[in-house]
Structures are given as structure tokens and as C-alpha cells.
Amino acid sequence: MVLKKWCRNIVLGWLCMVGMQGCGVFELIDDDLSVCGTDFEMVVRMQLQTNLDLELQTVLYAETDLQTRTILHDYFSHIFTDHAHDISIGFYDTTKDELVYSINEVIDANQSTYTFFLPKDEYHAIALANLKNNGIATLVDTLSSRQVRLTTPVQDTLLTQQTGLFATQREISVIDTADQCIDLTLHMVTSALALVIDTTGVTVHGITACMGPTVNSMMLRDSLFLYDHPKIIRMETIDPNISASAPMAKRAQVEEESYHMALLGSASFPSAETPDANDVYYEAKVYVSMTDGTITETVLSVHEPLRAGQLKVLRLQLQPDGEVVPIEAPEVGASVTLDWKNGGEHNIEI
């Protein structure tokens, strides 16, 4: 879903100046114009292909689920958006694989046009959006197209990402004829998980969760996710009264009537594309702190991958002993441990 707006033209004169004779700043022999470049126009677009609305409507289909759908839609709206706060683009020559040109801009739009000069050559163009406020992913090894990648911190357990990341790569040829116009369409590389736990009739002290493993980095030139240091993601508790779409009176009513849903969410890189020996792609571990001081752990094993651009919603029912049971989810298995003790596997804050 790409919003249609007028492009804004940004002339990046500080990046490269075209001289009045020959090729200007480029050193030429006898003004051989065959090595000159051309004014190059590039249109950068954001393309959001996601199942956000479909997943919410499919899993939370009842009329009584309207408030939960609204809360989750608002919570994930800053992740599943085609709006780019910031954009980074690098151009690498294909011979030496060196960074020749770069753009780093705050655009706050879903589309932007750049006009600038590039020497005649073959390039790898690599673009990335919404990295600035992500909080987790970082861009490293940017001097080489073969090495440039998104990566995550070294620790095994991470917080949820705060932005939806978009990326793309393509090969381009700059010729010294007429002006060229090239489109770069960025696609979403972030995924998300939501747990919707019906707590009706059960009183507990608290519920926390983590999910994973997820991939730990992405090679941008090959659009390749790496799984050599998989990560666990600590899920956030979603406040049911922060929905921007719900009127104030409705939010007050939810609070007064005691909303019987515990909501948790996370945004991260995808899971692996291949399952483990038990045909499990990733797990969600739910920890319920009971009133008697014990903790119940439920391990939810998901038998399908969590892909880039995808939201997965797991609907669950809380039991009196603290177990959470999947509802209408044949692709999810569950195992429970009563009076669970933290053996140091994950640093879960209860």
C-alpha cells in the first residue's frame, strides 16, 4: 500500500559538482568525454506489503474483538508503515567494490526524488530506510557492497525494534547520454508477533514473554538473512488504554470494566526459513507469575516461519494454573512447566 504524494526534488550539489569543461572534478586525458557521467535522477519509493489488517481480522474476527484489533493496529502502526523517517543510499562501483557516493537524509515521506551527478560506470545501489530510531539494528561495514549489513547487539536477548526497517538493492548502469531516471523500491524486512491472552476469571500477578530465535543480521547486497548468532526478543506489554483510535470515553470504559486481555508484542528480524529437528521455526515463551509466588512457563512452538513484513497473532486462553492454551491455532504446539525455576537460560524479568 503505497500512498501517492507529489515527490520533492532535492538537488544534492554538495555531493558532486559538475565542472564547466570536460568532466569537471574528474581527471581526464585530452577531455575524453567517453568517461564522463550524467545527471542522474533517482526516485526512492517505499512499498509496504504486509498482512497486518488481514491477520488481525482473521484471528480476531468476532465483534467483541473490535477493541483488541484497534489496540494492536495502533500499537503496530509505526512498524507497518510506508512512511520513511530517514533514508540511506550507497553507490558502489562494481570493479573495485568501493563506496563512490552516498545519501543520508531525513525525508519524513513515503517517496522522494534525488537529482545528482554520477560518473559513467556500473554500480550496486543499496538503500535502507527507518534505521535512525530503530534502537536495535545498526549498519556496519558500509565501505564494501559485499560486506555492508544490518546487525544486532552481541547479547543473546534483545528488546523489540522500534521502527519497521525497509531495504533494497539493485545494479544500475550510468551512461553519458540523456538524463536517466531509476526507481529504487524498498521492501519491509521487519516482522512482528503479538500474543492475545484472555485472562477472564483468572487472577495473576503478572505476565511476561519472549520469542525467538530470530535471525541476527542481514547482508544487504544479497538480501540474505544470517542465523549464525540467533536472538531471543523480549516482548513488550501493550497498554490497552493507549489506543489512539479509540475515543476517550471508550478507553475510560475499558479501564472501568477491567479489560480481560493481556497483550504482548514485539518487532524483530524474521525467524529462520528452515525449521529445527522438531519442525519448529520459533517459540514464544510465556511466564505467568501466580498469586502463590510460583511461576508457570508455557512454551508455544510455532510450526511455520515468521517472515519479513509479516505480523503473527497468537490467541491464547489463560488457565487457573497459569498455563496459556492456543485457541484455533493448529500450527502451534504447547508445553507447560508448573512452578518453573529460572535456570539461567534467559534473563526474564517477572
Side-chain angles (χ1 to χ4, degrees):
M1 112 181 120
V2 177
L3 300 178
K4 296 182 178 178
K5 290 186 178 179
W6 290 108
C7 298
R8 59 186 179 91
N9 290 305
I10 303 175
V11 181
L12 303 178
W14 56 272
L15 287 173
C16 192
M17 300 297 294
V18 181
M20 297 298 295
Q21 298 183 11
C23 290
V25 296
F26 298 99
E27 178 131 14
L28 302 176
I29 300 175
D30 298 327
D31 280 345
D32 179 6
L33 299 184
S34 66
V35 296
C36 289
T38 183
D39 286 335
F40 184 91
E41 184 179 85
M42 181 177 61
V43 181
V44 179
R45 311 177 197 272
M46 306 287 288
Q47 186 172 65
L48 182 64
Q49 294 179 332
T50 175
N51 68 332
L52 173 63
D53 291 324
L54 178 61
E55 179 74 0
L56 291 176
Q57 293 167 6
T58 300
V59 178
L60 304 170
Y61 54 85
E63 182 177 350
T64 53
D65 295 326
L66 174 60
Q67 182 68 12
T68 300
R69 288 200 305 270
T70 301
I71 293 168
L72 292 181
H73 192 280
D74 286 355
Y75 174 79
F76 287 110
S77 62
H78 70 291
I79 300 294
F80 295 97
T81 175
D82 65 352
H83 185 92
H85 171 69
D86 52 279
I87 192 87
S88 298
I89 310 170
F91 296 89
Y92 301 83
D93 72 78
T94 57
T95 303
K96 297 180 180 179
D97 194 28
E98 294 178 346
L99 180 63
V100 174
Y101 214 88
S102 63
I103 296 172
N104 294 279
E105 285 265 319
V106 172
I107 64 172
D108 284 325
N110 72 322
Q111 180 171 296
S112 190
T113 301
Y114 300 88
T115 304
F116 51 95
F117 181 87
L118 276 181
K120 179 182 176 182
D121 208 342
E122 303 291 322
Y123 297 93
H124 291 291
I126 295 176
L128 178 66
N130 289 339
L131 180 64
K132 189 176 181 64
N133 299 315
N134 182 266
I136 299 297
T138 56
L139 188 64
V140 298
D141 294 336
T142 58
L143 297 182
S144 165
S145 71
R146 292 186 179 89
Q147 298 298 321
V148 61
R149 66 189 185 279
L150 285 170
T151 189
T152 52
V154 296
Q155 56 263 39
D156 295 333
T157 303
L158 306 176
L159 299 178
T160 180
Q161 295 185 20
Q162 297 301 312
T163 64
L165 297 172
F166 288 74
T168 195
Q169 62 81 31
R170 65 170 294 180
E171 294 185 9
I172 60 175
S173 298
V174 175
I175 56 178
D176 60 345
T177 55
D179 289 352
Q180 294 178 254
C181 184
I182 298 292
D183 275 5
L184 281 182
T185 303
L186 284 74
H187 302 272
M188 192 174 189
V189 300
T190 303
S191 59
L193 176 68
L195 304 182
V196 177
I197 306 173
D198 188 343
T199 63
T200 303
V202 183
T203 301
V204 298
H205 279 323
I207 301 176
T208 62
C210 61
M211 63 83 60
T214 69
V215 300
N216 54 282
S217 61
M218 177 186 182
M219 304 300 294
L220 292 176
R221 175 170 158 176
D222 300 319
S223 299
L224 177 66
F225 288 106
L226 301 182
Y227 197 70
D228 48 341
H229 299 287
K231 303 297 181 179
I232 301 299
I233 310 302
R234 193 185 309 279
M235 302 187 74
E236 291 183 340
T237 298
I238 303 173
D239 185 347
N241 293 294
I242 62 172
S243 174
S245 299
M248 289 299 297
K250 180 63 177 176
R251 278 180 273 168
Q253 181 183 6
V254 169
E255 185 173 6
E256 181 180 350
E257 293 178 356
S258 184
Y259 184 65
H260 296 292
M261 292 289 179
L263 307 177
L264 298 102
S266 63
S268 66
F269 284 137
S271 71
E273 276 293 322
T274 55
D276 63 15
N278 297 314
D279 198 34
V280 174
Y281 290 86
Y282 66 98
E283 297 175 334
K285 296 185 177 182
V286 183
Y287 299 89
V288 178
S289 180
M290 307 299 292
T291 56
D292 63 0
T294 63
I295 297 172
T296 299
E297 178 198 55
T298 302
V299 178
L300 304 168
S301 303
V302 185
H303 298 282
E304 60 184 24
L306 183 65
R307 295 189 168 96
Q310 179 187 4
L311 167 67
K312 177 68 174 179
V313 177
L314 298 182
R315 187 168 187 168
L316 309 162
Q317 181 72 52
L318 180 63
Q319 304 299 306
D321 61 1
E323 178 185 5
V324 292
V325 177
I327 301 174
E328 298 178 359
E331 76 282 7
V332 181
S335 62
V336 62
T337 302
L338 304 178
D339 197 12
W340 173 84
K341 305 296 184 184
N342 188 346
E345 182 180 1
H346 302 300
N347 182 25
I348 302 298
E349 296 179 3
I350 301 299

